Amino acid sequence: MSLPEAFPGKVVGDEGAPQATVIIPTFDGEKYLRQILQSLSQQKTKWDYEVLIIDSGSTDSTLEIINDFPFVRLFQIPNEEFGHGKTRNQAARLARGTYLAYLSHDAIPATDYWLHEITIPLRESGVVAVMGKQVARNSCFPLLKYEIRSVFKRFGPDFGLTIFSLNNDGAEEKDLEAKSFYSDVNSATLRSFLLEVIPYQDLPYSEDMAFGKDVIEAGYSKAYAPAALVEHSNDLNLKEYKLRIFDEILSLRRLGKDLPPLKFTRQLLYPLWGAGVDSVRILRDRDYSFGQKLKWLFVNPVYHFQKWRAFYTATHLNLETASQESKYSLEKSRLEAKK
């Protein structure tokens, strides 16, 4: 059988009858959006699919880029109406596909088979949610690059499919944490499941982690599909990275993860250890030129110190005192900047 006969699907607009919907929430996403949409226009699938974008008030060239791709269904909302969880639920209601594949506006599908790979477990493996693999961009600072590599390595090998579910006897806390990890940077689920069984929670942050936990605790299965690969790493400067770590740790605490206040001495020792380990990796990393290695040997340790300073702050903050949060939070600072 020839390739076109095996994968006859195509991207369709309003006139089509798609079986899958790719959903991308956007806000000032001009940097990578054109590459994403070009990749989505070339996906090889066995059925037709659509691309749905919900934009929450972009002021850069995001809307102009979208206009260059007539197949995209665009839905616009005011920025103040955006919520990581509720907007994804809203997109599910607008979608026409049975299968929903979510991408962030900076995650670029790495192959023409990404959509096939991220949705096939929903059709053939009895799971209700799928998480694909992420690989860092070449410009990513080493700390984040190596963390991304480490996170996805623990979910299984780069071939086949790994399925996670609760055993009949339940799971230990660490086991449950690993099984419920989820990222909607690159994910897929069933439209009917999201709308009728377990929706995204309306949270300011970590809505995907909450969804993964809800799925596992309710007795359903989810999968890790490494062949559904995207290029993604957050383009953050040093200050933004510190604020983002604060948001992530605070969100985990609010989701019930037990994170005792970090001791002051460990705030100093952990970055020294992490930077030392990373320095060995940097020297061995063939992706970096000699000049880049010299740069990151000096700069990367600063990212480690900022990470653990943010961790220290987030684990000492009183969860009931929301007024203290804004000066440490990337999400809050961006909201303030929009006003």
Side-chain angles (χ1 to χ4, degrees):
M1 182 178 290
S2 67
L3 187 61
E5 291 174 341
F7 294 90
K10 62 184 182 299
V11 61
V12 298
D14 291 330
E15 77 289 347
Q19 290 193 39
T21 301
V22 180
I23 295 170
I24 310 172
T26 59
F27 175 73
D28 288 352
E30 64 180 5
K31 189 170 184 178
Y32 302 107
L33 188 58
R34 186 175 297 279
Q35 290 174 265
I36 294 170
L37 294 178
Q38 286 173 340
S39 177
L40 292 179
S41 71
Q42 301 167 357
Q43 292 296 302
K44 295 178 172 61
T45 65
K46 296 183 178 181
W47 23 255
D48 292 347
Y49 61 98
E50 66 173 348
V51 177
L52 171 65
I53 290 179
I54 292 192
D55 185 79
S56 54
S58 291
T59 57
D60 62 358
S61 63
T62 293
L63 297 180
E64 286 81 358
I65 293 171
I66 293 171
N67 193 52
D68 289 339
F69 295 86
F71 60 80
V72 173
R73 291 178 59 209
L74 173 64
F75 189 83
Q76 295 175 268
I77 60 174
N79 187 263
E80 59 271 17
E81 291 184 8
F82 174 82
H84 289 288
K86 71 177 183 179
T87 299
R88 284 172 171 81
N89 291 334
Q90 182 181 16
R93 292 190 292 271
L94 294 168
R96 295 177 294 161
T98 300
Y99 311 106
L100 307 181
Y102 285 93
L103 286 173
S104 62
H105 69 195
D106 56 353
I108 306 171
T111 75
D112 292 346
Y113 295 92
W114 165 79
L115 183 55
H116 172 78
E117 296 291 349
I118 198 72
T119 56
I120 195 171
L122 298 172
R123 304 192 304 275
E124 298 183 1
S125 300
V127 302
V128 299
V130 185
M131 180 180 69
K133 184 179 179 180
Q134 300 174 36
V135 61
R137 297 184 227 284
N138 291 334
S139 59
C140 181
F141 55 93
L143 168 57
L144 184 56
K145 173 183 178 180
Y146 300 142
E147 281 188 343
I148 290 173
R149 182 183 298 171
S150 175
V151 164
F152 288 94
K153 184 177 180 180
R154 66 180 175 143
F155 295 121
D158 285 341
F159 57 86
L161 193 70
T162 305
I163 296 179
F164 297 91
S165 63
L166 277 182
N167 298 322
N168 293 333
D169 296 331
E172 297 295 330
E173 183 177 348
K174 289 185 179 180
D175 189 34
L176 178 60
E177 179 185 349
K179 288 183 176 182
S180 62
F181 183 94
Y182 197 72
S183 171
D184 55 26
V185 164
N186 174 26
S187 67
T189 187
L190 296 164
R191 182 175 183 269
S192 59
F193 181 79
L194 198 64
L195 295 181
E196 300 170 14
V197 185
I198 298 179
Y200 279 105
Q201 293 186 39
D202 184 12
L203 297 173
Y205 212 75
S206 294
E207 79 296 334
D208 46 3
M209 294 291 286
F211 179 72
K213 187 170 182 284
D214 290 343
V215 166
I216 292 296
E217 289 186 336
Y220 295 95
S221 299
K222 70 179 184 66
Y224 169 56
L229 179 67
V230 300
E231 182 184 77
H232 173 266
S233 49
N234 298 114
D235 294 328
L236 302 173
N237 60 36
L238 193 60
K239 179 181 178 181
E240 290 172 335
Y241 177 68
K242 177 184 176 183
L243 299 179
R244 183 177 180 86
I245 291 296
F246 172 86
D247 283 332
E248 290 179 352
I249 300 305
L250 199 65
S251 295
L252 289 175
R253 289 184 63 201
R254 286 177 169 155
L255 288 174
K257 183 172 176 58
D258 183 21
L259 292 171
L262 184 69
K263 293 181 179 180
F264 181 78
T265 53
R266 293 185 179 182
Q267 178 194 185
L268 301 176
L269 293 175
Y270 284 173
L272 289 174
W273 169 259
V277 172
D278 272 3
S279 294
V280 175
R281 291 170 174 163
I282 291 168
L283 290 172
R284 295 174 176 175
D285 197 328
R286 296 182 179 180
D287 292 339
Y288 295 134
S289 66
F290 179 76
Q292 288 174 317
K293 289 181 179 181
L294 287 180
K295 169 190 171 182
W296 288 126
L297 285 172
F298 285 98
V299 176
N300 194 59
V302 185
Y303 279 90
H304 276 275
F305 277 98
Q306 291 291 63
K307 170 186 175 179
W308 289 106
R309 284 183 63 192
F311 197 104
Y312 180 88
T313 302
T315 55
H316 281 79
L317 191 73
N318 185 343
L319 293 180
E320 304 301 322
T321 313
S323 60
Q324 298 180 14
E325 183 181 336
S326 58
K327 64 180 178 180
Y328 304 116
S329 167
L330 181 61
E331 290 289 308
K332 297 287 185 182
S333 64
R334 286 175 172 175
L335 286 174
E336 290 296 323
K338 296 171 188 174
K339 294 180 180 179

